[in-house]
Amino acid sequence: MSDQNVRNAGFTPAGIRGGSLGSSLMSREARASGGGVSSGGPTSTLQGMGAKGTTHSSGYTSSGISGGSLASSRMSSEATAHGGGVPRGGTTSTVQSISMGGKGGRR
């Protein structure tokens, strides 16, 4: 279900679908960073997963983040960088939210 949720949000093998949650996320991220989206950020992470269908194998599942996965490693790094918590609107929270069918974190 996670891969389908990512595609439903507009992250597809053909690219980010116009008018989708994905395009809105990309626009917000680009404005916040002065014009582009960063490698490893929410948009690029979700697009990579949408293109390849790798949500579950990366550890972002509909029941949460799998222990010992790429997702759990990313979550740990992000929490360490932010003093122990995963920030709302960051890569981990946004990707996990969309993987579960949500709207992603708001900045």
Side-chain angles (χ1 to χ4, degrees), residues 21 24-25 28 88-90 93-94 103-107:
L21 173 62
S24 175
L25 178 67
R28 281 195 326 258
R88 183 176 181 192
S93 62
T94 301
K103 302 286 186 203
R106 301 279 186 226
R107 292 180 191 251

Side-chain angles (χ1 to χ4, degrees), residues 20-64:
S20 68
L21 173 62
S23 68
S24 175
L25 178 67
M26 181 176 65
S27 176
R28 281 195 326 258
E29 190 176 342
R31 281 194 308 268
S33 68
V37 296
S38 62
S39 176
T43 301
S44 65
T45 300
L46 284 158
Q47 182 51 39
M49 291 176 178
K52 298 176 188 170
T54 59
T55 307
H56 279 301
S57 63
S58 297
Y60 296 98
T61 73
S62 56
S63 58

Side-chain angles (χ1 to χ4, degrees), residues 64-76:
I65 292 176
S66 299
S69 67
L70 172 65
S72 69
S73 176
R74 179 170 284 160
M75 181 175 66
S76 178

